[in-house]
Amino acid sequence: MNEQNIDNHLREALTHLESALNQSVRCVLENDSTKKEIGLKWEQFLGEFMGQIREKGKKSRLNLLGWISFPRIR
């Protein structure tokens, strides 16, 4: 896999996340009682993603989060 493939995957993931975020906002605006359910979906997704980062880091003995400069993230 080359860097361009990584860029493509990240762009595609960002597009999917933006769609999910837009749908989440629309859903809650239409029906406030869905806020908890939608929040749990995002919590599960983010927890699973962070878990994958930790697991891949352990298996590869790389600090994957160390590659990211968090102050630059806004």
Side-chain angles (χ1 to χ4, degrees):
M1 178 177 285
N2 62 33
E3 287 184 40
Q4 187 172 358
N5 284 340
I6 294 168
D7 289 339
N8 290 338
H9 283 295
L10 290 173
R11 268 194 301 277
E12 187 174 338
L14 192 56
T15 298
H16 287 286
L17 286 169
E18 183 179 17
S19 294
L21 184 57
N22 289 339
Q23 289 180 20
S24 297
V25 169
R26 242 187 332 262
C27 189
V28 172
L29 288 175
E30 290 173 4
N31 184 355
D32 191 65
S33 67
T34 62
K35 191 182 300 182
K36 184 177 181 180
E37 181 183 343
I38 300 294
L40 288 173
K41 291 177 187 298
W42 280 97
E43 187 177 300
Q44 180 182 2
F45 167 76
L46 292 171
E48 186 173 325
F49 181 63
M50 293 305 292
Q52 286 182 17
I53 290 172
R54 282 191 297 275
E55 191 60 34
K56 293 284 183 192
K58 284 181 189 176
K59 286 183 180 178
S60 63
R61 295 184 175 172
L62 295 171
N63 178 7
L64 303 178
L65 292 176
W67 301 352
I68 300 166
S69 174
F70 286 97
R72 284 190 272 184
I73 296 176
R74 298 185 215 188

